[in-house]
Amino acid sequence: MKNNLLNTISCELFYALTGAIILFIVLEIIKPLSVLTYFNLNYLVVLWIISAALFIFSKK
Amino acid sequence: MKKLSLKLKLRIAFSLVIGLAFLFFIYQAIVPFGCLKGEYRPRGLNFWGGQKIVGPLGPSDRISWDNEYLRLIKSPAYFSVFSPREFKQAKLTFVYRNLDPAGQPIIETGVLVDEKLWRFATRGLENLILEKLMNTWDKQIGIDNGKILLTNPDPLLKLKSSWPQTASYQTDYDPGYLQSALPFDTLGDYAWPQLRGDQQILAAINGLPLRFEFSFSDLNQNNQAGGDPIAILIYNSQNELISSQEMIDDGSETASGEIKDRGGWQLYRADLAPDIYRIEVRANDDIISSIKTTNTHVVLQNKAWLFSPANLLTDSSVLRVKTPNPDSLGKIVFADQNLVLEKTDVIYKATTTELGLKNINLTAGDIFLEVEGDIAFSADAFFLSGSKKLTADLNLGEISSVVAKYSEPEDLGDGWRRATAVFDLSGVNRVDNRYKFMLSLPDLTQGVEIKSIRAELSGQSLGGKIKKMFNL
């Protein structure tokens, strides 16, 4: 049950962060500095890697 | 009602957060109400790690951390303001301290208006010389749209009557007055020494045609893509472009170092109204191997890069000199001073109390000069090209009056001062979606501490743009 909960959260977090990275990078390409002025995308990439690791481990 | 699953709840929550962030970025990129604000606090917390709307100040060798505040130790320092679209006006507010009436009395800021010539439109923030004069000279406030007129109770006027005896700060002579003071043209035949790089020539035209002959030589010292084209632009006193001419490079994009003749260009305009014209020669690093003119009243504005030895004259009390060439090191005579250049790429400064025109004698070429006025090759060439700027180096004995637009900065206690400068951004180009600004102390000694820089950009709203587009 606990493993299932972690699996669901990490899965959804991974999908959301993947979507967010793609969305913000596309926005940054269309309108340069519109994201980077307010937010460092590296933070999002680090979170995405952590969520990906959690996602993989929770699947095991 | 059916209960939502955890998966769906999480999906909705994450989508909401991402959607709100996306909307925020879109809103900030469009700026629908036409107003964008940002602040740079050197010690401020940057939780989200963004580049911020304002700042940072740089380059890093011009700033240092002193106790808890950022200190400007070399001038000028630069910063930029993010601008997702064009704006009409920028209002910059600085909080700083440590300005000193004896050592560093002036602080000013500027916006980059010409990236190629690295030219800034400057606005003063605080001028302690002016504040001192406001207490010692005769003062009239509120003349001609809020200007201040200060009259020297004891001037030492030993200059030609047509010379500028009025200094200005944040304002200039009335252009109508300048035109009425234009000297009559006399036809001459003048050849100038060799110059190098970008030059700004002022010519007073009052009846006779504007006539110049330029010849250029390419030093081939840079690897610029497309070679280095030479451009000559002519502006009137209202800063309107009258004509422009571009000479393309021979196509050599490699830095061979071989000096090549680039040919020349003849400028002849007989249709110009009496005015002061600015001839901007954008020659990059190339040599202007010859300049011939029939116009008498011609000066170089503020700066000159001499490629050959020359005897020059200036109305400035201060001279700043540097050279990139080791062969050009040595002595320069400026009025009653001897200035010795000992190192390359170091700025040397000399000031004089001598009145009237001062002699500059260069025994070597490839020397860059900067003055607080104009440079000419003969005494007859001088004319009233504008007012002298009220700077720390100005000889106040030569000045009968000062016209200024000035409001004293706000005192915030503990030595902190808050000063504001407003810039008109029409015609100002953005570089990589940012407006570039500088902060300068022309006579920096111990430096100033910077607490914050606040920027407010304002322009047309989205509604206004749509109305304009559809002529509503």
Side-chain angles (χ1 to χ4, degrees):
Chain A
M1 176 71 190
K2 197 178 173 185
N3 199 28
N4 197 25
L5 180 73
L6 186 68
N7 189 11
T8 311
I9 294 172
S10 61
C11 175
E12 288 307 313
L13 188 65
F14 175 70
Y15 289 151
L17 289 173
T18 307
I21 285 175
I22 294 167
L23 189 68
F24 295 156
I25 287 175
V26 168
L27 187 58
E28 189 59 31
I29 292 166
I30 295 167
K31 191 83 185 166
L33 293 178
S34 58
V35 178
L36 291 177
T37 302
Y38 306 98
F39 180 61
N40 189 344
L41 279 176
N42 292 342
Y43 291 3
L44 204 61
V45 173
V46 169
L47 274 178
W48 179 74
I49 292 167
I50 294 168
S51 76
L54 274 175
F55 181 46
I56 291 164
F57 288 122
S58 65
K59 282 265 181 192
K60 280 184 181 175
Chain B
M1 196 178 158
K2 198 182 170 188
K3 204 179 169 190
L4 292 174
S5 67
L6 175 70
K7 195 175 174 178
L8 197 59
K9 279 181 188 167
L10 282 171
R11 201 163 277 189
I12 292 168
F14 288 144
S15 302
L16 263 176
V17 171
I18 295 165
L20 282 174
F22 181 75
L23 283 177
F24 170 77
F25 294 138
I26 292 284
Y27 180 89
Q28 292 293 88
I30 295 171
V31 198
F33 296 104
C35 186
L36 186 69
K37 290 177 188 175
E39 191 170 34
Y40 167 62
R41 284 183 174 270
R43 273 281 187 240
L45 181 70
N46 188 1
F47 184 76
W48 297 105
Q51 294 176 6
K52 302 279 228 170
I53 294 172
V54 186
L57 261 183
S60 54
D61 65 328
R62 298 189 186 183
I63 51 172
S64 76
W65 286 101
D66 195 14
N67 301 322
E68 55 180 315
Y69 296 108
L70 186 76
R71 182 179 280 270
L72 186 67
I73 52 168
K74 276 185 190 169
S75 174
Y78 305 98
F79 63 97
S80 59
V81 177
F82 171 62
S83 129
R85 64 176 176 91
E86 286 187 352
F87 288 90
K88 283 183 180 169
Q89 195 186 63
K91 186 177 168 189
L92 299 183
T93 307
F94 296 82
V95 178
Y96 58 91
R97 70 177 173 190
N98 282 12
L99 217 58
D100 164 27
Q104 42 183 25
I106 295 171
I107 183 167
E108 56 191 21
T109 180
V111 62
L112 183 67
V113 289
D114 191 329
E115 199 193 359
K116 186 102 178 70
L117 294 181
W118 205 241
R119 197 173 64 218
F120 288 82
T122 55
R123 298 276 181 281
L125 292 170
E126 187 168 6
N127 187 330
L128 296 177
I129 302 165
L130 182 73
E131 286 181 19
K132 190 181 164 194
L133 294 183
M134 283 164 79
N135 293 323
T136 51
W137 285 19
D138 303 327
K139 184 168 71 176
Q140 274 179 273
I141 297 175
I143 58 148
D144 190 16
N145 290 333
K147 287 178 192 168
I148 303 163
L149 175 68
L150 302 168
T151 314
N152 189 351
D154 186 25
L156 300 163
L157 298 172
K158 288 183 182 173
L159 299 168
K160 285 182 184 178
S161 59
S162 62
W163 271 38
Q165 292 160 352
T166 301
S168 64
Y169 183 69
Q170 312 260 55
T171 181
D172 209 343
Y173 282 125
D174 175 13
Y177 173 68
L178 270 181
Q179 282 181 5
S180 69
L182 279 178
F184 282 108
D185 276 359
T186 45
L187 202 64
D189 210 353
Y190 305 95
W192 289 13
Q194 289 185 329
L195 300 171
R196 184 177 170 188
D198 302 324
Q199 309 286 340
Q200 299 209 60
I201 300 163
L202 294 178
I205 302 300
N206 196 4
L208 288 178
L210 181 67
R211 189 170 201 161
F212 274 84
E213 271 178 52
F214 296 97
S215 300
F216 299 96
S217 299
D218 195 341
L219 279 175
N220 283 315
Q221 283 191 348
N222 46 15
N223 294 314
Q224 204 175 320
D228 36 24
I230 293 168
I232 300 171
L233 304 119
I234 305 165
Y235 297 89
N236 64 12
S237 60
Q238 307 296 314
N239 219 21
E240 292 160 344
L241 186 67
I242 302 294
S243 75
S244 64
Q245 173 77 26
E246 187 165 308
M247 295 168 65
I248 54 163
D249 201 355
D250 57 359
S252 169
E253 293 178 5
T254 51
S256 61
E258 185 192 348
I259 298 179
K260 268 189 174 176
D261 184 22
R262 287 282 300 269
W265 187 60
Q266 209 172 57
L267 165 66
Y268 181 81
R269 289 289 296 262
D271 55 338
L272 298 176
D275 199 358
I276 295 167
Y277 292 91
R278 181 160 56 88
I279 304 160
E280 206 170 277
V281 184
R282 299 184 175 192
N284 302 308
D285 251 2
D286 293 340
I287 304 166
I288 310 171
S289 48
S290 129
I291 300 179
K292 288 177 184 170
T293 178
T294 54
N295 296 101
T296 308
H297 304 294
V298 183
V299 291
L300 287 160
Q301 192 182 25
N302 303 133
K303 295 170 189 174
W305 191 353
L306 273 297
F307 194 67
S308 58
N311 284 318
L312 312 156
L313 291 159
T314 181
D315 55 344
S316 166
S317 310
V318 61
L319 174 72
R320 290 182 181 88
V321 191
K322 77 169 180 179
T323 179
N325 191 343
D327 295 337
S328 303
L329 297 176
K331 197 176 81 176
I332 288 172
V333 177
F334 171 57
D336 49 0
Q337 314 267 314
N338 281 331
L339 191 61
V340 182
L341 307 190
E342 291 171 336
K343 287 181 184 171
T344 54
D345 294 317
V346 174
I347 298 170
Y348 292 89
K349 181 183 163 187
T351 51
T352 179
T353 50
E354 207 175 285
L355 298 175
L357 286 177
K358 291 98 186 167
N359 202 40
I360 304 172
N361 181 241
L362 305 178
T363 50
D366 218 359
I367 292 175
F368 184 83
L369 311 171
E370 192 176 12
V371 297
E372 306 273 355
D374 299 322
I375 297 167
F377 298 101
S378 72
D380 294 336
F382 274 95
F383 62 94
L384 183 60
S385 68
S387 50
K388 290 195 169 197
K389 282 185 184 162
L390 183 68
T391 62
D393 298 311
L394 185 67
N395 186 352
L396 291 170
E398 290 185 332
I399 302 300
S400 59
S401 57
V402 173
V403 183
K405 256 190 176 176
Y406 188 67
S407 52
E408 223 173 292
E410 193 183 340
D411 199 345
L412 302 175
D414 203 17
W416 293 107
R417 308 272 280 172
R418 179 160 55 208
T420 301
V422 178
F423 293 95
D424 179 5
L425 296 178
S426 47
V428 176
N429 292 324
R430 292 176 301 146
V431 182
D432 298 331
N433 281 342
R434 297 188 90 93
Y435 288 111
K436 301 256 180 189
F437 293 90
M438 65 128 179
L439 182 64
S440 157
L441 281 98
D443 292 282
L444 186 142
T445 49
Q446 82 270 30
V448 284
E449 287 177 336
I450 308 291
K451 197 176 191 181
S452 69
I453 303 171
R454 186 178 166 77
E456 285 177 53
L457 301 177
S458 54
Q460 203 167 35
S461 66
L462 187 64
K465 274 196 168 185
I466 292 168
K467 275 184 184 173
K468 198 177 169 188
M469 205 181 287
F470 294 103
N471 289 324
L472 295 173

